[in-house]
Amino acid sequence: MTEDNAVAIRNARPEDIDTVIRLDELGTGLAKPDYWHDIFAGYVRQPGAGRFFLIAEAAGAVVGFIVGETRIWEFGSPSCGWVFAVNVSPERREGGIGSHLLEAICERFRRSGVDTVRTMISRRDPLNLAFFRSQGLTAGPYIELERRLD
Amino acid sequence: MRLQKSTLFALYAVLELARENDRQMSTGDIAERYDISPHHLSKVMRQLVRSGLIQSVRGAGGGYRFSGNAKRVTLLDIIDLFEPSNPAVEGDEEDPAGATSVARALDSVRGEIDELTRATLQSITLRSLLKYAPAEVGEEAVAG
């Protein structure tokens, strides 16, 4: 466990699930309990290699989380670390907790042997775009494409 | 992305002033650093003052000071002050080809690019950009 300014970063535990569901709902406006139960099964209860679910804790309370994993040859990409969820309690934002979480998961990615971290964010989500930009992430070599299946 | 000179000068000026809290610089200082026209920059500075992003400081050692929040103001906020609101579709209303399916498909592609450009510029705050633009040697010489 690492500590900085009374915030500790640790691996998620099964009992964190309700708080994670609540924090995610606060951040996104959507409750996704089934999704988070699946994620906890694969990243917390029986985490596969290269999978990380980290919690930021202050004064015994969960104040943020980050989830990611290393993937290899997906979309033709050499091994890299993907961050697919990050969240900080609204009342604790702008205190560096998101930065600590990202740095902590990047350190785990490095130890897993990867040298790049990647994420995907809606271009209509300025809050998270600005966060990752502030952490030095820039446009990568891939373009996400999609089509409606009408 | 092609920016007008005024837009680029505004970005230079605001970023220089926002580099440090309470930093004061004159138009001449900024123009010299970026090797740009002081006359053109003066007009840009007046517009920036009107926008509230910077304020003029009178008296000896005066100049300009950043008066926004570097953690909130984005590159897009500054660019929007000087660039047409949507250059990708500028003039389309008079274009008779605009009614064709090819023209509409091209508009759609230009719209994609424009939306991506705006999202990128909106995601970069002055603080974020300055974090990765270290001060250059000798810069302290003109810092207020």
Side-chain angles (χ1 to χ4, degrees):
Chain A
M1 186 180 281
T2 57
E3 292 195 26
D4 194 337
N5 295 327
V7 172
I9 308 294
R10 60 165 172 81
N11 290 328
R13 298 191 283 253
E15 59 268 29
D16 295 322
I17 190 164
D18 290 338
T19 310
V20 166
I21 291 170
R22 186 174 53 78
L23 275 181
D24 175 57
E25 185 178 1
L26 273 174
T28 67
L30 291 172
K32 314 177 202 77
D34 293 346
Y35 168 77
W36 286 112
H37 279 281
D38 283 348
I39 294 293
F40 264 70
Y43 290 77
V44 179
R45 291 191 175 85
Q46 293 184 302
R51 289 183 163 188
F52 305 102
F53 197 138
L54 306 179
I55 293 287
E57 194 176 69
V62 173
V63 293
F65 66 86
I66 192 165
V67 195
E69 67 180 320
T70 59
R71 298 178 188 168
I72 186 163
W73 299 128
E74 211 163 35
F75 312 111
S77 167
S79 186
C80 80
W82 276 85
V83 171
F84 62 82
V86 62
N87 206 320
V88 173
S89 175
E91 63 268 22
R92 297 300 301 260
R93 285 182 190 157
E94 299 198 55
I97 294 172
S99 304
H100 287 309
L101 283 164
L102 183 63
E103 190 44 49
I105 203 167
C106 284
E107 182 52 35
R108 283 155 177 83
F109 288 152
R110 282 187 204 99
R111 280 190 239 139
S112 298
V114 305
D115 61 8
T116 303
V117 61
R118 182 174 292 153
T119 191
M120 190 158 64
I121 310 153
S122 166
R123 54 185 179 236
R124 290 165 188 158
D125 180 359
L127 180 71
N128 278 307
L129 273 172
F131 168 70
F132 282 105
R133 280 278 175 183
S134 75
Q135 302 301 308
L137 279 78
T138 62
Y142 298 88
I143 295 176
E144 175 255 344
L145 298 174
E146 66 181 33
R147 190 188 75 178
R148 285 188 59 82
L149 299 176
D150 294 336
Chain B
M1 182 187 191
R2 186 172 293 176
L3 296 175
Q4 299 183 64
K5 265 189 183 177
S6 296
T7 313
L8 203 53
F9 292 2
L11 288 166
Y12 292 154
V14 175
L15 284 160
E16 277 300 329
L17 295 172
R19 192 182 276 283
E20 294 162 21
N21 284 340
D22 296 326
R23 184 179 215 193
Q24 283 176 218
M25 290 178 80
S26 68
T27 301
D29 293 335
I30 299 168
E32 185 180 0
R33 168 155 300 160
Y34 289 92
D35 194 19
I36 58 181
S37 157
H39 179 67
H40 191 162
L41 182 60
S42 293
K43 291 182 187 171
V44 169
M45 299 303 268
R46 284 196 290 275
Q47 192 164 344
L48 287 170
V49 169
R50 282 196 296 274
S51 77
L53 278 174
I54 65 172
Q55 57 186 195
S56 64
V57 181
R58 297 187 188 283
Y64 293 93
R65 180 191 293 152
F66 178 63
S67 51
N69 181 344
K71 288 173 73 175
R72 289 277 179 272
V73 176
T74 70
L75 300 185
L76 186 65
D77 292 329
I78 298 163
I79 289 168
D80 272 351
L81 292 173
F82 293 88
E83 295 288 327
S85 60
N86 192 350
V89 296
E90 197 176 27
D92 277 4
E93 281 176 14
E94 284 90 38
D95 183 2
T100 68
S101 61
V102 167
R104 283 196 299 275
L106 282 173
D107 274 352
S108 175
V109 172
R110 292 194 296 169
E112 272 184 46
I113 294 166
D114 194 44
E115 191 181 343
L116 192 55
T117 300
R118 290 184 68 81
T120 301
L121 294 169
Q122 190 180 25
S123 74
I124 303 173
T125 63
L126 304 187
R127 175 70 59 85
S128 291
L129 191 122
L130 290 168
K131 189 174 169 183
Y132 297 98
E136 290 166 62
V137 176
E139 190 161 21
E140 300 75 20
V142 294

